[in-house]
Amino acid sequence: MPTRTVRTVPEAEAARRVEEIIERRVRCGDPDREKLGDEPVELVAYLVAHRRVSAEVLRRDVLDALVLLEYARRAVPVLPGRLDRLEHRVLTLGIEAGLSLGELAAPLGLRSRQAVQHRLLRHAAAERGASRSEVAERAARRAEARERAWLDRHGADLLSCAGRLLAHRDLLAGAAAAGDPGSEAVNTAFDASPAGAPASEAGAEIAEAFDELAESLSRVPAGPRDPHHAARYVTRTRHLAARLRLLLADLAAAGAAAAVPAGHPVHALLARTARLAAAHQSAAAPPPPARSRP
């Protein structure tokens, strides 16, 4: 996989972009503007969630948002999985709003539309559970039969683990916020009290990742063997598995499991879920290219 290019964005430029986004949304009468904040990553998340503005406003928002994400990669302590998810959504929004790949390149510090296309392919590959590389579509199709066979055997277990993991959302978000098994945040999480939701950045990001997982799980259709649902079942289960792997990676980066007392059943659930998610990724990945003989 090629090394990712990260544009260096001065703090002053990031602050200017934040101000321009806020002023633009106020000027255009954004009906959701009371929810606007001034923290770069949260502002980008707002932009992709609140789109009841003109296409021209969206296009300008997208260009500013991409700069803010580049700034965040160097200057804001945010889990990388969240930044990748936001970047994919912002790029997709930009294309839907009418921006060309060439126009999207400059804010990312890229030199060509092909580089943006490769970035989109890597994000799309991650969404479907493949590695972040420009995987040929033909190879992906060859892997589909293996993936379908794997889902026939293990798909129900994967979905069950995802559902059971969602029940531990408050516990793991609280553990990520605290990072200490004896801390008040972890003990509050055990009480499963909404009032005890973690306030730290890591806890809030883990909670958001859980919410995205819940959304993905709700979109997986029942009755996967029904011919009318089979293709949709595979696509949406693949999307869920990709989000599940990103969540597991973010939990590991935040040290959430280490902050949960030993012996808690969530440890076994995390291990089983990780095995299933990794096995699905292996089943869905295209085969490596054949080596030419000397």
Side-chain angles (χ1 to χ4, degrees):
M1 180 181 72
T3 303
R4 180 196 169 94
T5 300
V6 179
R7 175 186 170 190
T8 300
V9 178
E11 185 176 358
E13 181 179 356
R16 178 175 62 82
R17 301 275 184 162
V18 167
E19 291 176 3
E20 290 179 356
I21 291 172
I22 294 174
E23 290 175 2
R24 186 182 306 127
R25 286 293 179 124
V26 171
R27 284 197 309 270
C28 77
D30 177 3
D32 303 306
R33 61 186 178 276
E34 72 279 358
K35 301 176 184 177
L36 270 169
D38 59 3
E39 193 281 320
V41 176
E42 297 309 319
L43 184 54
V44 173
Y46 171 90
L47 296 180
V48 298
H50 301 284
R51 309 181 183 187
R52 295 191 291 170
V53 293
S54 69
E56 175 59 26
V57 169
L58 286 177
R59 286 192 289 270
R60 297 175 66 185
D61 282 348
V62 163
L63 298 177
D64 287 338
L66 291 174
V67 174
L68 292 180
L69 288 177
E70 292 298 286
Y71 168 76
R73 290 187 186 277
R74 293 182 181 271
V76 180
V78 182
L79 296 173
R82 187 184 186 205
L83 294 178
D84 288 343
R85 291 191 296 271
L86 283 174
E87 182 178 274
H88 192 195
R89 292 179 180 183
V90 172
L91 288 171
T92 302
L93 176 60
I95 292 170
E96 292 173 353
L99 288 169
S100 68
L101 295 182
E103 289 172 310
L104 293 169
L108 292 170
L110 302 175
R111 296 184 178 182
S112 67
R113 63 183 303 279
Q114 289 82 4
V116 179
Q117 183 64 52
H118 290 166
R119 184 72 60 85
L120 283 165
L121 285 172
R122 289 195 291 273
H123 285 314
E127 288 285 344
R128 69 170 184 261
S131 61
R132 289 186 180 274
S133 60
E134 294 83 53
V135 181
E137 187 61 26
R138 186 179 301 173
R141 290 177 182 177
R142 288 199 299 267
E144 187 172 342
R146 289 201 316 277
E147 181 185 10
R148 286 179 179 271
W150 188 93
L151 288 174
D152 284 344
R153 296 191 299 271
H154 306 291
D157 287 343
L158 181 68
L159 297 176
S160 174
C161 283
R164 290 164 57 202
L165 196 59
L166 287 170
H168 297 288
R169 172 189 182 274
D170 292 340
L171 168 66
L172 290 169
D180 178 3
S183 71
E184 181 180 354
V186 174
N187 292 332
T188 302
F190 270 96
D191 294 336
S193 169
S200 81
E201 288 297 322
E205 290 162 16
I206 292 296
E208 180 179 319
F210 267 107
D211 292 342
E212 292 177 348
L213 179 67
E215 178 191 7
S216 289
L217 183 60
S218 71
R219 292 170 62 84
V220 177
R225 297 186 186 280
D226 184 334
H228 295 93
H229 294 161
R232 194 154 50 104
Y233 170 82
V234 172
T235 299
R236 293 186 175 176
T237 303
R238 182 186 301 142
H239 185 268
L240 175 136
R243 280 192 168 171
L244 189 57
R245 282 187 291 275
L246 290 173
L247 170 61
L248 292 170
D250 284 350
L251 287 170
V260 176
H264 191 280
V266 76
H267 289 290
L269 176 59
L270 284 169
R272 176 168 176 73
T273 304
R275 288 194 298 270
L276 283 168
H280 171 264
Q281 184 175 31
S282 178
R291 294 182 179 179
S292 58
R293 294 182 178 180

mmCIF file with all atom_site columns, all heavy atoms in Angstrom, residues 84-107:
data_model
loop_
_atom_site.group_PDB
_atom_site.id
_atom_site.type_symbol
_atom_site.label_atom_id
_atom_site.label_alt_id
_atom_site.label_comp_id
_atom_site.label_asym_id
_atom_site.label_entity_id
_atom_site.label_seq_id
_atom_site.pdbx_PDB_ins_code
_atom_site.Cartn_x
_atom_site.Cartn_y
_atom_site.Cartn_z
_atom_site.occupancy
_atom_site.B_iso_or_equiv
_atom_site.pdbx_formal_charge
_atom_site.auth_seq_id
_atom_site.auth_comp_id
_atom_site.auth_asym_id
_atom_site.auth_atom_id
_atom_site.pdbx_PDB_model_num
ATOM 1   N N   . ASP A 1 84  ? -10.808 8.575  8.694   1.00 0.00 ? 84  ASP A N   1
ATOM 2   C CA  . ASP A 1 84  ? -10.978 7.893  7.407   1.00 0.00 ? 84  ASP A CA  1
ATOM 3   C C   . ASP A 1 84  ? -12.447 7.829  7.011   1.00 0.00 ? 84  ASP A C   1
ATOM 4   O O   . ASP A 1 84  ? -12.812 8.048  5.850   1.00 0.00 ? 84  ASP A O   1
ATOM 5   C CB  . ASP A 1 84  ? -10.397 6.485  7.480   1.00 0.00 ? 84  ASP A CB  1
ATOM 6   C CG  . ASP A 1 84  ? -8.880  6.487  7.525   1.00 0.00 ? 84  ASP A CG  1
ATOM 7   O OD1 . ASP A 1 84  ? -8.272  7.518  7.181   1.00 0.00 ? 84  ASP A OD1 1
ATOM 8   O OD2 . ASP A 1 84  ? -8.295  5.462  7.931   1.00 0.00 ? 84  ASP A OD2 1
ATOM 9   N N   . ARG A 1 85  ? -13.317 7.519  7.981   1.00 0.00 ? 85  ARG A N   1
ATOM 10  C CA  . ARG A 1 85  ? -14.751 7.452  7.674   1.00 0.00 ? 85  ARG A CA  1
ATOM 11  C C   . ARG A 1 85  ? -15.280 8.818  7.247   1.00 0.00 ? 85  ARG A C   1
ATOM 12  O O   . ARG A 1 85  ? -16.047 8.931  6.288   1.00 0.00 ? 85  ARG A O   1
ATOM 13  C CB  . ARG A 1 85  ? -15.528 6.935  8.890   1.00 0.00 ? 85  ARG A CB  1
ATOM 14  C CG  . ARG A 1 85  ? -15.278 5.478  9.218   1.00 0.00 ? 85  ARG A CG  1
ATOM 15  C CD  . ARG A 1 85  ? -16.263 4.959  10.256  1.00 0.00 ? 85  ARG A CD  1
ATOM 16  N NE  . ARG A 1 85  ? -16.125 5.620  11.542  1.00 0.00 ? 85  ARG A NE  1
ATOM 17  C CZ  . ARG A 1 85  ? -15.314 5.211  12.517  1.00 0.00 ? 85  ARG A CZ  1
ATOM 18  N NH1 . ARG A 1 85  ? -14.545 4.150  12.329  1.00 0.00 ? 85  ARG A NH1 1
ATOM 19  N NH2 . ARG A 1 85  ? -15.265 5.851  13.671  1.00 0.00 ? 85  ARG A NH2 1
ATOM 20  N N   . LEU A 1 86  ? -14.855 9.868  7.960   1.00 0.00 ? 86  LEU A N   1
ATOM 21  C CA  . LEU A 1 86  ? -15.311 11.208 7.608   1.00 0.00 ? 86  LEU A CA  1
ATOM 22  C C   . LEU A 1 86  ? -14.793 11.630 6.233   1.00 0.00 ? 86  LEU A C   1
ATOM 23  O O   . LEU A 1 86  ? -15.532 12.234 5.443   1.00 0.00 ? 86  LEU A O   1
ATOM 24  C CB  . LEU A 1 86  ? -14.853 12.207 8.674   1.00 0.00 ? 86  LEU A CB  1
ATOM 25  C CG  . LEU A 1 86  ? -15.646 12.224 9.980   1.00 0.00 ? 86  LEU A CG  1
ATOM 26  C CD1 . LEU A 1 86  ? -14.986 13.149 10.990  1.00 0.00 ? 86  LEU A CD1 1
ATOM 27  C CD2 . LEU A 1 86  ? -17.093 12.657 9.737   1.00 0.00 ? 86  LEU A CD2 1
ATOM 28  N N   . GLU A 1 87  ? -13.542 11.313 5.935   1.00 0.00 ? 87  GLU A N   1
ATOM 29  C CA  . GLU A 1 87  ? -12.986 11.694 4.634   1.00 0.00 ? 87  GLU A CA  1
ATOM 30  C C   . GLU A 1 87  ? -13.769 11.041 3.499   1.00 0.00 ? 87  GLU A C   1
ATOM 31  O O   . GLU A 1 87  ? -14.071 11.685 2.484   1.00 0.00 ? 87  GLU A O   1
ATOM 32  C CB  . GLU A 1 87  ? -11.520 11.320 4.547   1.00 0.00 ? 87  GLU A CB  1
ATOM 33  C CG  . GLU A 1 87  ? -10.881 11.747 3.232   1.00 0.00 ? 87  GLU A CG  1
ATOM 34  C CD  . GLU A 1 87  ? -9.400  11.409 3.170   1.00 0.00 ? 87  GLU A CD  1
ATOM 35  O OE1 . GLU A 1 87  ? -8.599  12.221 3.651   1.00 0.00 ? 87  GLU A OE1 1
ATOM 36  O OE2 . GLU A 1 87  ? -9.069  10.328 2.640   1.00 0.00 ? 87  GLU A OE2 1
ATOM 37  N N   . HIS A 1 88  ? -14.086 9.752  3.670   1.00 0.00 ? 88  HIS A N   1
ATOM 38  C CA  . HIS A 1 88  ? -14.844 9.070  2.624   1.00 0.00 ? 88  HIS A CA  1
ATOM 39  C C   . HIS A 1 88  ? -16.200 9.740  2.418   1.00 0.00 ? 88  HIS A C   1
ATOM 40  O O   . HIS A 1 88  ? -16.643 9.964  1.280   1.00 0.00 ? 88  HIS A O   1
ATOM 41  C CB  . HIS A 1 88  ? -15.034 7.598  3.009   1.00 0.00 ? 88  HIS A CB  1
ATOM 42  C CG  . HIS A 1 88  ? -15.548 6.764  1.883   1.00 0.00 ? 88  HIS A CG  1
ATOM 43  N ND1 . HIS A 1 88  ? -16.076 5.512  2.076   1.00 0.00 ? 88  HIS A ND1 1
ATOM 44  C CD2 . HIS A 1 88  ? -15.634 6.999  0.541   1.00 0.00 ? 88  HIS A CD2 1
ATOM 45  C CE1 . HIS A 1 88  ? -16.450 5.011  0.907   1.00 0.00 ? 88  HIS A CE1 1
ATOM 46  N NE2 . HIS A 1 88  ? -16.201 5.885  -0.029  1.00 0.00 ? 88  HIS A NE2 1
ATOM 47  N N   . ARG A 1 89  ? -16.858 10.111 3.500   1.00 0.00 ? 89  ARG A N   1
ATOM 48  C CA  . ARG A 1 89  ? -18.173 10.746 3.390   1.00 0.00 ? 89  ARG A CA  1
ATOM 49  C C   . ARG A 1 89  ? -18.076 12.131 2.755   1.00 0.00 ? 89  ARG A C   1
ATOM 50  O O   . ARG A 1 89  ? -18.933 12.517 1.950   1.00 0.00 ? 89  ARG A O   1
ATOM 51  C CB  . ARG A 1 89  ? -18.812 10.851 4.779   1.00 0.00 ? 89  ARG A CB  1
ATOM 52  C CG  . ARG A 1 89  ? -19.195 9.504  5.373   1.00 0.00 ? 89  ARG A CG  1
ATOM 53  C CD  . ARG A 1 89  ? -19.780 9.669  6.737   1.00 0.00 ? 89  ARG A CD  1
ATOM 54  N NE  . ARG A 1 89  ? -20.144 8.378  7.318   1.00 0.00 ? 89  ARG A NE  1
ATOM 55  C CZ  . ARG A 1 89  ? -20.727 8.233  8.495   1.00 0.00 ? 89  ARG A CZ  1
ATOM 56  N NH1 . ARG A 1 89  ? -21.007 9.282  9.221   1.00 0.00 ? 89  ARG A NH1 1
ATOM 57  N NH2 . ARG A 1 89  ? -21.017 7.027  8.955   1.00 0.00 ? 89  ARG A NH2 1
ATOM 58  N N   . VAL A 1 90  ? -17.027 12.881 3.127   1.00 0.00 ? 90  VAL A N   1
ATOM 59  C CA  . VAL A 1 90  ? -16.866 14.217 2.559   1.00 0.00 ? 90  VAL A CA  1
ATOM 60  C C   . VAL A 1 90  ? -16.578 14.125 1.065   1.00 0.00 ? 90  VAL A C   1
ATOM 61  O O   . VAL A 1 90  ? -17.141 14.883 0.258   1.00 0.00 ? 90  VAL A O   1
ATOM 62  C CB  . VAL A 1 90  ? -15.743 14.979 3.292   1.00 0.00 ? 90  VAL A CB  1
ATOM 63  C CG1 . VAL A 1 90  ? -15.434 16.290 2.577   1.00 0.00 ? 90  VAL A CG1 1
ATOM 64  C CG2 . VAL A 1 90  ? -16.156 15.269 4.737   1.00 0.00 ? 90  VAL A CG2 1
ATOM 65  N N   . LEU A 1 91  ? -15.697 13.225 0.651   1.00 0.00 ? 91  LEU A N   1
ATOM 66  C CA  . LEU A 1 91  ? -15.411 13.065 -0.771  1.00 0.00 ? 91  LEU A CA  1
ATOM 67  C C   . LEU A 1 91  ? -16.664 12.660 -1.544  1.00 0.00 ? 91  LEU A C   1
ATOM 68  O O   . LEU A 1 91  ? -16.939 13.183 -2.632  1.00 0.00 ? 91  LEU A O   1
ATOM 69  C CB  . LEU A 1 91  ? -14.306 12.024 -0.971  1.00 0.00 ? 91  LEU A CB  1
ATOM 70  C CG  . LEU A 1 91  ? -12.888 12.456 -0.564  1.00 0.00 ? 91  LEU A CG  1
ATOM 71  C CD1 . LEU A 1 91  ? -11.943 11.257 -0.618  1.00 0.00 ? 91  LEU A CD1 1
ATOM 72  C CD2 . LEU A 1 91  ? -12.385 13.578 -1.465  1.00 0.00 ? 91  LEU A CD2 1
ATOM 73  N N   . THR A 1 92  ? -17.415 11.722 -0.997  1.00 0.00 ? 92  THR A N   1
ATOM 74  C CA  . THR A 1 92  ? -18.649 11.293 -1.651  1.00 0.00 ? 92  THR A CA  1
ATOM 75  C C   . THR A 1 92  ? -19.635 12.443 -1.760  1.00 0.00 ? 92  THR A C   1
ATOM 76  O O   . THR A 1 92  ? -20.280 12.641 -2.803  1.00 0.00 ? 92  THR A O   1
ATOM 77  C CB  . THR A 1 92  ? -19.274 10.128 -0.871  1.00 0.00 ? 92  THR A CB  1
ATOM 78  O OG1 . THR A 1 92  ? -18.338 9.043  -0.792  1.00 0.00 ? 92  THR A OG1 1
ATOM 79  C CG2 . THR A 1 92  ? -20.547 9.635  -1.549  1.00 0.00 ? 92  THR A CG2 1
ATOM 80  N N   . LEU A 1 93  ? -19.756 13.241 -0.676  1.00 0.00 ? 93  LEU A N   1
ATOM 81  C CA  . LEU A 1 93  ? -20.638 14.400 -0.703  1.00 0.00 ? 93  LEU A CA  1
ATOM 82  C C   . LEU A 1 93  ? -20.192 15.400 -1.764  1.00 0.00 ? 93  LEU A C   1
ATOM 83  O O   . LEU A 1 93  ? -21.021 15.969 -2.486  1.00 0.00 ? 93  LEU A O   1
ATOM 84  C CB  . LEU A 1 93  ? -20.656 15.067 0.678   1.00 0.00 ? 93  LEU A CB  1
ATOM 85  C CG  . LEU A 1 93  ? -21.452 16.369 0.808   1.00 0.00 ? 93  LEU A CG  1
ATOM 86  C CD1 . LEU A 1 93  ? -22.915 16.135 0.454   1.00 0.00 ? 93  LEU A CD1 1
ATOM 87  C CD2 . LEU A 1 93  ? -21.321 16.930 2.222   1.00 0.00 ? 93  LEU A CD2 1
ATOM 88  N N   . GLY A 1 94  ? -18.887 15.609 -1.881  1.00 0.00 ? 94  GLY A N   1
ATOM 89  C CA  . GLY A 1 94  ? -18.381 16.536 -2.880  1.00 0.00 ? 94  GLY A CA  1
ATOM 90  C C   . GLY A 1 94  ? -18.734 16.117 -4.292  1.00 0.00 ? 94  GLY A C   1
ATOM 91  O O   . GLY A 1 94  ? -19.131 16.946 -5.128  1.00 0.00 ? 94  GLY A O   1
ATOM 92  N N   . ILE A 1 95  ? -18.590 14.834 -4.582  1.00 0.00 ? 95  ILE A N   1
ATOM 93  C CA  . ILE A 1 95  ? -18.937 14.332 -5.919  1.00 0.00 ? 95  ILE A CA  1
ATOM 94  C C   . ILE A 1 95  ? -20.432 14.488 -6.165  1.00 0.00 ? 95  ILE A C   1
ATOM 95  O O   . ILE A 1 95  ? -20.865 14.914 -7.245  1.00 0.00 ? 95  ILE A O   1
ATOM 96  C CB  . ILE A 1 95  ? -18.494 12.865 -6.047  1.00 0.00 ? 95  ILE A CB  1
ATOM 97  C CG1 . ILE A 1 95  ? -16.961 12.784 -6.038  1.00 0.00 ? 95  ILE A CG1 1
ATOM 98  C CG2 . ILE A 1 95  ? -19.052 12.241 -7.323  1.00 0.00 ? 95  ILE A CG2 1
ATOM 99  C CD1 . ILE A 1 95  ? -16.412 11.390 -5.919  1.00 0.00 ? 95  ILE A CD1 1
ATOM 100 N N   . GLU A 1 96  ? -21.252 14.158 -5.159  1.00 0.00 ? 96  GLU A N   1
ATOM 101 C CA  . GLU A 1 96  ? -22.698 14.302 -5.302  1.00 0.00 ? 96  GLU A CA  1
ATOM 102 C C   . GLU A 1 96  ? -23.096 15.761 -5.520  1.00 0.00 ? 96  GLU A C   1
ATOM 103 O O   . GLU A 1 96  ? -24.077 16.054 -6.211  1.00 0.00 ? 96  GLU A O   1
ATOM 104 C CB  . GLU A 1 96  ? -23.398 13.756 -4.055  1.00 0.00 ? 96  GLU A CB  1
ATOM 105 C CG  . GLU A 1 96  ? -23.284 12.243 -3.903  1.00 0.00 ? 96  GLU A CG  1
ATOM 106 C CD  . GLU A 1 96  ? -23.847 11.748 -2.573  1.00 0.00 ? 96  GLU A CD  1
ATOM 107 O OE1 . GLU A 1 96  ? -24.199 12.604 -1.727  1.00 0.00 ? 96  GLU A OE1 1
ATOM 108 O OE2 . GLU A 1 96  ? -23.930 10.519 -2.379  1.00 0.00 ? 96  GLU A OE2 1
ATOM 109 N N   . ALA A 1 97  ? -22.328 16.685 -4.926  1.00 0.00 ? 97  ALA A N   1
ATOM 110 C CA  . ALA A 1 97  ? -22.641 18.114 -5.058  1.00 0.00 ? 97  ALA A CA  1
ATOM 111 C C   . ALA A 1 97  ? -22.113 18.708 -6.353  1.00 0.00 ? 97  ALA A C   1
ATOM 112 O O   . ALA A 1 97  ? -22.373 19.881 -6.642  1.00 0.00 ? 97  ALA A O   1
ATOM 113 C CB  . ALA A 1 97  ? -22.072 18.875 -3.862  1.00 0.00 ? 97  ALA A CB  1
ATOM 114 N N   . GLY A 1 98  ? -21.353 17.927 -7.134  1.00 0.00 ? 98  GLY A N   1
ATOM 115 C CA  . GLY A 1 98  ? -20.907 18.391 -8.433  1.00 0.00 ? 98  GLY A CA  1
ATOM 116 C C   . GLY A 1 98  ? -19.450 18.767 -8.551  1.00 0.00 ? 98  GLY A C   1
ATOM 117 O O   . GLY A 1 98  ? -19.035 19.309 -9.584  1.00 0.00 ? 98  GLY A O   1
ATOM 118 N N   . LEU A 1 99  ? -18.643 18.509 -7.528  1.00 0.00 ? 99  LEU A N   1
ATOM 119 C CA  . LEU A 1 99  ? -17.212 18.789 -7.619  1.00 0.00 ? 99  LEU A CA  1
ATOM 120 C C   . LEU A 1 99  ? -16.517 17.711 -8.441  1.00 0.00 ? 99  LEU A C   1
ATOM 121 O O   . LEU A 1 99  ? -16.876 16.531 -8.369  1.00 0.00 ? 99  LEU A O   1
ATOM 122 C CB  . LEU A 1 99  ? -16.594 18.858 -6.224  1.00 0.00 ? 99  LEU A CB  1
ATOM 123 C CG  . LEU A 1 99  ? -16.941 20.085 -5.379  1.00 0.00 ? 99  LEU A CG  1
ATOM 124 C CD1 . LEU A 1 99  ? -16.470 19.882 -3.942  1.00 0.00 ? 99  LEU A CD1 1
ATOM 125 C CD2 . LEU A 1 99  ? -16.336 21.343 -5.968  1.00 0.00 ? 99  LEU A CD2 1
ATOM 126 N N   . SER A 1 100 ? -15.516 18.097 -9.207  1.00 0.00 ? 100 SER A N   1
ATOM 127 C CA  . SER A 1 100 ? -14.732 17.131 -9.973  1.00 0.00 ? 100 SER A CA  1
ATOM 128 C C   . SER A 1 100 ? -13.639 16.547 -9.092  1.00 0.00 ? 100 SER A C   1
ATOM 129 O O   . SER A 1 100 ? -13.283 17.105 -8.041  1.00 0.00 ? 100 SER A O   1
ATOM 130 C CB  . SER A 1 100 ? -14.100 17.805 -11.180 1.00 0.00 ? 100 SER A CB  1
ATOM 131 O OG  . SER A 1 100 ? -13.095 18.729 -10.764 1.00 0.00 ? 100 SER A OG  1
ATOM 132 N N   . LEU A 1 101 ? -13.074 15.423 -9.523  1.00 0.00 ? 101 LEU A N   1
ATOM 133 C CA  . LEU A 1 101 ? -11.970 14.821 -8.772  1.00 0.00 ? 101 LEU A CA  1
ATOM 134 C C   . LEU A 1 101 ? -10.773 15.768 -8.732  1.00 0.00 ? 101 LEU A C   1
ATOM 135 O O   . LEU A 1 101 ? -10.050 15.827 -7.729  1.00 0.00 ? 101 LEU A O   1
ATOM 136 C CB  . LEU A 1 101 ? -11.571 13.482 -9.394  1.00 0.00 ? 101 LEU A CB  1
ATOM 137 C CG  . LEU A 1 101 ? -12.629 12.376 -9.344  1.00 0.00 ? 101 LEU A CG  1
ATOM 138 C CD1 . LEU A 1 101 ? -12.066 11.093 -9.947  1.00 0.00 ? 101 LEU A CD1 1
ATOM 139 C CD2 . LEU A 1 101 ? -13.104 12.123 -7.924  1.00 0.00 ? 101 LEU A CD2 1
ATOM 140 N N   . GLY A 1 102 ? -10.558 16.513 -9.814  1.00 0.00 ? 102 GLY A N   1
ATOM 141 C CA  . GLY A 1 102 ? -9.465  17.472 -9.830  1.00 0.00 ? 102 GLY A CA  1
ATOM 142 C C   . GLY A 1 102 ? -9.644  18.559 -8.783  1.00 0.00 ? 102 GLY A C   1
ATOM 143 O O   . GLY A 1 102 ? -8.678  18.979 -8.127  1.00 0.00 ? 102 GLY A O   1
ATOM 144 N N   . GLU A 1 103 ? -10.883 19.022 -8.609  1.00 0.00 ? 103 GLU A N   1
ATOM 145 C CA  . GLU A 1 103 ? -11.148 20.053 -7.599  1.00 0.00 ? 103 GLU A CA  1
ATOM 146 C C   . GLU A 1 103 ? -10.967 19.514 -6.191  1.00 0.00 ? 103 GLU A C   1
ATOM 147 O O   . GLU A 1 103 ? -10.603 20.272 -5.272  1.00 0.00 ? 103 GLU A O   1
ATOM 148 C CB  . GLU A 1 103 ? -12.573 20.590 -7.775  1.00 0.00 ? 103 GLU A CB  1
ATOM 149 C CG  . GLU A 1 103 ? -12.768 21.436 -9.021  1.00 0.00 ? 103 GLU A CG  1
ATOM 150 C CD  . GLU A 1 103 ? -14.222 21.785 -9.267  1.00 0.00 ? 103 GLU A CD  1
ATOM 151 O OE1 . GLU A 1 103 ? -15.077 20.857 -9.243  1.00 0.00 ? 103 GLU A OE1 1
ATOM 152 O OE2 . GLU A 1 103 ? -14.514 22.974 -9.488  1.00 0.00 ? 103 GLU A OE2 1
ATOM 153 N N   . LEU A 1 104 ? -11.203 18.222 -6.001  1.00 0.00 ? 104 LEU A N   1
ATOM 154 C CA  . LEU A 1 104 ? -11.045 17.616 -4.671  1.00 0.00 ? 104 LEU A CA  1
ATOM 155 C C   . LEU A 1 104 ? -9.588  17.328 -4.338  1.00 0.00 ? 104 LEU A C   1
ATOM 156 O O   . LEU A 1 104 ? -9.262  17.076 -3.171  1.00 0.00 ? 104 LEU A O   1
ATOM 157 C CB  . LEU A 1 104 ? -11.846 16.315 -4.601  1.00 0.00 ? 104 LEU A CB  1
ATOM 158 C CG  . LEU A 1 104 ? -13.371 16.476 -4.671  1.00 0.00 ? 104 LEU A CG  1
ATOM 159 C CD1 . LEU A 1 104 ? -14.030 15.116 -4.869  1.00 0.00 ? 104 LEU A CD1 1
ATOM 160 C CD2 . LEU A 1 104 ? -13.904 17.144 -3.409  1.00 0.00 ? 104 LEU A CD2 1
ATOM 161 N N   . ALA A 1 105 ? -8.718  17.357 -5.327  1.00 0.00 ? 105 ALA A N   1
ATOM 162 C CA  . ALA A 1 105 ? -7.329  16.977 -5.090  1.00 0.00 ? 105 ALA A CA  1
ATOM 163 C C   . ALA A 1 105 ? -6.577  18.006 -4.252  1.00 0.00 ? 105 ALA A C   1
ATOM 164 O O   . ALA A 1 105 ? -5.852  17.656 -3.308  1.00 0.00 ? 105 ALA A O   1
ATOM 165 C CB  . ALA A 1 105 ? -6.611  16.769 -6.427  1.00 0.00 ? 105 ALA A CB  1
ATOM 166 N N   . ALA A 1 106 ? -6.718  19.295 -4.579  1.00 0.00 ? 106 ALA A N   1
ATOM 167 C CA  . ALA A 1 106 ? -5.899  20.334 -3.942  1.00 0.00 ? 106 ALA A CA  1
ATOM 168 C C   . ALA A 1 106 ? -6.058  20.379 -2.420  1.00 0.00 ? 106 ALA A C   1
ATOM 169 O O   . ALA A 1 106 ? -5.051  20.440 -1.700  1.00 0.00 ? 106 ALA A O   1
ATOM 170 C CB  . ALA A 1 106 ? -6.212  21.692 -4.557  1.00 0.00 ? 106 ALA A CB  1
ATOM 171 N N   . PRO A 1 107 ? -7.284  20.339 -1.861  1.00 0.00 ? 107 PRO A N   1
ATOM 172 C CA  . PRO A 1 107 ? -7.395  20.404 -0.402  1.00 0.00 ? 107 PRO A CA  1
ATOM 173 C C   . PRO A 1 107 ? -6.717  19.234 0.312   1.00 0.00 ? 107 PRO A C   1
ATOM 174 O O   . PRO A 1 107 ? -6.312  19.360 1.475   1.00 0.00 ? 107 PRO A O   1
ATOM 175 C CB  . PRO A 1 107 ? -8.913  20.370 -0.165  1.00 0.00 ? 107 PRO A CB  1
ATOM 176 C CG  . PRO A 1 107 ? -9.524  20.795 -1.442  1.00 0.00 ? 107 PRO A CG  1
ATOM 177 C CD  . PRO A 1 107 ? -8.604  20.331 -2.510  1.00 0.00 ? 107 PRO A CD  1
#
